[in-house]
Amino acid sequence: MTGLPGESEAGAKLKRTALRDFEAPLERNDPRWRTPTYKLTVSPTDAPVPVLLRYALTLIGLTPGGPDEKVAWWVGFTYKGEPCTLAHEKFGVRLYLRTDRPEVEARQSLSQVIKKLQGTSKTVERLILDAAPDILGIGDATVLNQHYSLRRAYDYFRVRAESPDHIEDEMKTGESPTGKWTSFKSGEMEMQLNSFHDMIAAISAFLSLLEHDLVLALPFGDFDPEVDNVTNLIGARWGDKWDRVLGHADGGGTFRRQLTEVVERWRNPYSHGGFEKGHGATIWLHTPGVGAAVPVGLTRVRESPHFSFIAARESDIAEVFALFDQIDAWLSTVLPEAMEWIESGLDVRYDNEFRSELAIAKADGNFTRFLEYHVHRQDMINNMDY
């Protein structure tokens, strides 16, 4: 895909509206290049995605330049006949204007140019969003690697679940019109409840991390844009992602079953408003012989109901996290290149060029060198050392 559908129409619209005073840059021998230069540093809030400003200018026929030392790109143009340059430099987006008018007027023009460029956002964003499902679906995309931010959330709740803050017992006494009263709150029970709640949060965080890593792992396996649709895979349930990426791996069926049991027993009742998955409510069962209503949870995964609101024991918590540790270790053995890339922090590309280069590196036994090259290349991009 060399361009987006509707680019010509969008460019014509911008020429009539927001960018009607923008024209091609001056020839290098034009004397107006020798007038004083004024600079405006564009706030990140005014240009959250700088490349969209560049794209808007290309839609009206302007040609960007770059990269160069400490500059990712630049676009030259004239605004009302005066030479301007918009550049994405290492320390931000900057707009340059050359004019022999007073500085106050020059600053006003700089502000006008930025406002005009901001005015292109709706047209540009709509153009991209209309094409987004097809672009992502065929894999012409890079997915941001959020492994470590999701991992931090999991680690945070896990530590709290395994080592809850100590709470002392609390006993209160007092008097009321009906006599003396005493209340007691068990610190140990409060700690157990806190630990249980943090375990539920840790399970949810682990599943988010797992789903994210499985999506990032797709290009490292047999991903085929002719068959797989990335948009659909991202939106699939965790089990479907697991089956797609790990369904044929040795041990995959066992770990999937064990993880499903954890999810159905602990997470699902609390991620569906306190209701068991597959049924409409947690039930207080009027049980003959008990003399009270007993809360039970019903689930299609387990043949017999279990009590939903009794906190997990320490052994339950330990078993859950032991399983997660086993899954983590197993993933590193069945998806070695994918996990090594993910843990490097690099984002993941899905396009044909990247997947072809990756396949060659793996076949030649040069994956480590391939990864090191991309880490170095990303460092250069981050520092704009072109």
Side-chain angles (χ1 to χ4, degrees):
M1 183 180 293
T2 58
L4 298 180
E7 283 187 341
S8 297
E9 294 80 0
K13 178 181 178 181
L14 292 175
K15 284 288 289 183
R16 295 192 308 268
T17 56
L19 303 184
R20 59 179 174 271
D21 294 316
F22 291 64
E23 301 292 345
L26 302 176
E27 297 293 334
R28 295 307 303 174
N29 59 357
D30 193 294
R32 283 173 287 182
W33 281 111
R34 294 190 289 272
T35 55
T37 302
Y38 297 91
K39 178 179 72 174
L40 174 67
T41 298
V42 184
S43 166
T45 58
D46 292 332
V49 187
V51 73
L52 295 186
L53 302 182
R54 182 187 71 179
Y55 181 51
L57 292 170
T58 63
L59 288 176
I60 64 170
L62 299 175
T63 302
D68 204 347
E69 184 66 21
K70 305 304 180 185
V71 184
W73 53 261
W74 65 86
V75 184
F77 58 93
T78 59
Y79 176 70
K80 295 183 178 180
E82 295 180 324
C84 297
T85 302
L86 181 71
H88 186 194
E89 301 174 354
K90 180 176 180 179
F91 296 107
V93 177
R94 292 188 170 92
L95 175 65
Y96 298 91
L97 168 70
R98 292 177 180 268
T99 180
D100 55 8
R101 293 183 293 124
E103 181 175 354
V104 172
E105 294 182 13
R107 296 294 176 192
Q108 290 174 344
S109 291
L110 287 168
S111 297
Q112 289 172 6
V113 171
I114 291 302
K115 289 180 180 178
K116 297 285 187 180
L117 288 170
Q118 288 177 308
T120 67
S121 62
K122 288 185 179 179
T123 299
V124 170
E125 289 172 8
R126 178 47 52 197
L127 193 64
I128 296 172
L129 291 176
D130 286 345
D134 291 335
I135 296 173
L136 177 58
I138 62 174
D140 282 341
T142 297
V143 174
L144 183 67
N145 186 343
Q146 302 178 68
H147 172 83
Y148 280 107
S149 62
L150 294 171
R151 183 83 199 189
R152 281 195 296 270
Y154 166 63
D155 289 341
Y156 171 78
F157 288 115
R158 175 171 176 166
V159 168
R160 290 169 59 95
E162 292 180 318
S163 303
D165 291 339
H166 180 73
I167 300 175
E168 297 285 350
D169 292 342
E170 183 179 295
M171 179 176 288
K172 294 182 179 180
T173 59
E175 293 187 8
S176 69
T178 59
K180 294 184 178 180
W181 57 267
T182 301
S183 69
F184 174 77
K185 183 167 68 175
S186 168
E188 182 177 354
M189 290 187 65
E190 287 290 312
M191 291 169 63
Q192 289 177 351
L193 284 171
N194 290 345
S195 183
F196 172 65
H197 295 150
D198 285 321
M199 182 192 73
I200 300 302
I203 293 172
S204 295
F206 181 82
L207 286 174
S208 295
L209 171 65
L210 175 64
E211 289 197 54
H212 183 70
D213 286 353
L214 290 176
V215 170
L216 294 183
L218 282 170
F220 296 84
D222 59 348
F223 172 72
D224 182 359
E226 298 296 325
V227 178
D228 296 311
N229 184 287
V230 180
T231 306
N232 294 339
L233 287 168
I234 289 175
R237 296 177 182 273
W238 76 264
D240 295 331
K241 292 185 178 77
W242 180 287
D243 292 341
R244 174 62 188 84
V245 179
L246 300 166
H248 301 295
D250 185 31
T254 299
F255 280 124
R256 189 192 193 285
R257 184 180 66 255
Q258 292 174 322
L259 186 54
T260 298
E261 291 175 354
V262 168
V263 170
E264 295 294 345
R265 181 179 182 186
W266 299 117
R267 175 180 178 264
N268 279 342
Y270 296 90
S271 62
H272 296 278
F275 303 135
E276 288 289 357
K277 186 177 181 180
H279 293 267
T282 294
I283 300 169
W284 289 76
L285 194 65
H286 299 174
T287 312
V290 175
V294 178
V296 298
L298 298 175
T299 171
R300 289 179 294 188
V301 175
R302 293 179 175 271
E303 294 181 359
S304 59
H306 65 270
F307 291 89
S308 297
F309 292 101
I310 295 179
R313 298 166 299 173
E314 289 184 11
S315 58
D316 294 323
I317 295 173
E319 288 173 4
V320 167
F321 293 137
L323 173 62
F324 290 176
D325 288 341
Q326 292 172 20
I327 291 174
D328 279 339
W330 177 73
L331 288 175
S332 295
T333 64
V334 297
L335 300 172
E337 294 90 1
M339 295 310 300
E340 191 174 352
W341 184 285
I342 290 168
E343 290 174 0
S344 76
L346 290 173
D347 299 331
V348 177
R349 289 168 51 190
Y350 289 69
D351 57 274
N352 285 326
E353 179 183 359
F354 175 77
R355 288 185 287 107
S356 297
E357 293 175 353
L358 172 62
I360 293 172
K362 289 169 65 176
D364 293 343
N366 291 328
F367 176 77
T368 299
R369 186 181 303 173
F370 179 73
L371 175 59
E372 290 173 349
Y373 164 76
H374 280 276
V375 170
H376 176 68
R377 182 172 178 271
Q378 187 60 50
D379 287 340
M380 291 178 59
I381 292 171
N382 293 342
N383 291 314
M384 295 191 182
D385 292 329
Y386 299 108

